[in-house]
Amino acid sequence: MRSLERSGTFQLGDLRVRRLGYGAMHLSGAGVFGPPQDRDAALAVLREAVAAGVNHIDTSDYYGPHITNQLIREALHPYPDDLVIVTKIGVRRGPDGSVLEATSPDELIRAVHDNLRNLGVDVLDIVNLRNVFDDAHRGGELIDAGLTILADLQRQGLVRHIGLSNVTPAQITAGRRICDIVCVQNRYNLAHRSDDELIDRLADDGIAYVPFFPLGGLGTLQSSTLSHVARLVNATTAQVALAWLLHRAPNMLLIPGTSSLTHLRENIAAAGITLPDTALEALSGGAQIASRAKGGA
């Protein structure tokens, strides 16, 4: 059995994926903007991920913009029958690389068609509607209006399944009144666990939880406990963090991203790591784990 297969599988609607997937955000240029520094390396990462058994890729057409999806198409099209590509809408990039909301009906519809065109598919497996508003009222309005649009596109056959990103439990509940939600993508990792209760509720309902920034995002996860466990199981701290997430809940799907073949292989190997009960208790309990800025003290 390949190490990736040890992560198990989970059902996304009528699609079954391995629980350790791949996030394609870092394949474009610095700041997720412009072309990659090494296009051949980006293509190689995608091809090796799928060759290793990854069948869940997370992306968006605003990565680049357009570039990451075009790379996926160049590297992998025609796609394997079991490959599930999840994309998200609600954001666009300005000419200067700025990240801007794109939440009007026309912008959401255009984003779906951009993803279809650049990925080279007739239907998108899963589209996540991303909440870009800190204000709960505006966020709620976006969920209501955006999911209504996505549900209509689903009826047209352009979208297979629908998910939500960067949302509160109340927004998820409201969204589920409009359409079926197969996955929720929020920030969660060893240092940021505010969604603990939500994860368990979603698991009971058979809805996947997909943590973004599983390894800290703009920072790196650090603690003496994490380092100790890594030495104990002869792994990197990043691999331990991923292994802990896989253990955390059966509905947890991971999409660690990288543009490095070395890091890709390390991430995939995390699926084969077994953490002792004592290590799980230490990591899940009161261990102080921080996310520190990369390069910081």
Side-chain angles (χ1 to χ4, degrees):
M1 178 184 292
R2 293 181 294 185
S3 63
L4 189 64
E5 294 171 350
R6 292 182 60 186
S7 68
T9 62
F10 192 80
Q11 197 79 18
L12 291 168
D14 63 344
L15 304 170
R16 181 163 289 275
V17 298
R18 295 188 179 91
R19 292 179 59 217
L20 199 155
Y22 172 73
M25 183 176 72
H26 295 293
L27 289 182
S28 55
V32 200
F33 189 70
Q37 184 175 6
D38 189 334
R39 186 180 186 87
D40 289 340
L43 297 172
V45 166
L46 285 163
R47 289 168 179 150
E48 178 150 335
V50 171
V54 167
N55 68 346
H56 170 205
I57 292 178
D58 181 85
T59 185
S60 177
D61 208 55
Y62 75 82
Y63 296 164
H66 312 303
I67 290 169
T68 295
N69 278 354
Q70 292 167 359
L71 288 168
I72 291 171
R73 180 177 183 174
E74 181 177 346
L76 303 174
H77 197 278
Y79 302 114
D81 291 340
D82 68 339
L83 181 63
V84 174
I85 300 177
V86 180
T87 190
K88 65 184 70 64
I89 61 174
V91 178
R92 64 182 177 87
R93 303 305 295 270
D96 59 351
S98 54
V99 179
L100 307 169
E101 66 178 80
T103 59
S104 72
D106 285 347
E107 287 173 317
L108 294 174
I109 293 170
R110 187 182 311 121
V112 166
H113 284 277
D114 285 346
N115 278 280
L116 287 165
R117 181 181 64 257
N118 285 310
L119 287 170
V121 295
D122 295 324
V123 57
L124 297 173
D125 292 326
I126 301 173
V127 177
N128 287 329
L129 177 64
R130 193 182 197 285
N131 174 28
V132 295
F133 300 115
D134 293 329
D135 179 88
H137 180 69
R138 295 188 72 193
E141 288 182 339
L142 166 65
I143 299 304
D144 290 347
L147 288 183
T148 298
I149 289 167
L150 278 176
D152 184 56
L153 294 171
Q154 187 179 46
R155 286 188 290 271
Q156 295 177 36
L158 299 179
V159 174
R160 194 166 184 177
H161 298 294
I162 297 170
L164 289 169
S165 177
N166 199 37
V167 286
T168 66
Q171 289 165 346
I172 297 168
T173 299
R176 292 179 68 187
R177 298 190 188 107
I178 298 171
C179 63
D180 289 336
I181 300 298
V182 300
C183 58
V184 171
Q185 189 177 103
N186 277 1
R187 185 180 188 184
Y188 186 84
N189 55 51
L190 272 167
H192 297 88
R193 306 187 199 178
S194 59
D195 271 357
D196 271 329
E197 183 179 346
L198 174 62
I199 290 168
D200 295 334
R201 284 170 48 195
L202 293 176
D204 290 341
D205 291 340
I207 297 174
Y209 184 93
V210 188
F212 62 74
F213 295 155
L215 298 177
L218 299 177
T220 55
L221 297 173
Q222 297 181 6
S223 81
S224 58
T225 301
L226 186 57
S227 298
H228 172 72
V229 172
R231 290 192 296 269
L232 180 68
V233 298
N234 192 29
T236 67
T237 55
Q239 288 175 320
V240 170
L242 293 175
W244 179 84
L245 285 168
L246 286 172
H247 182 272
R248 169 62 185 80
N251 62 327
M252 188 80 71
L253 304 183
L254 303 188
I255 49 168
T258 181
S259 59
S260 160
L261 281 171
T262 297
H263 290 158
L264 172 70
R265 292 162 185 161
E266 289 177 355
N267 291 342
I268 289 173
I273 294 174
T274 300
L275 298 177
D277 289 343
T278 53
L280 289 169
E281 291 172 5
L283 293 169
S284 301
Q288 294 297 310
I289 299 176
S291 179
R292 301 184 185 277
K294 294 177 180 177

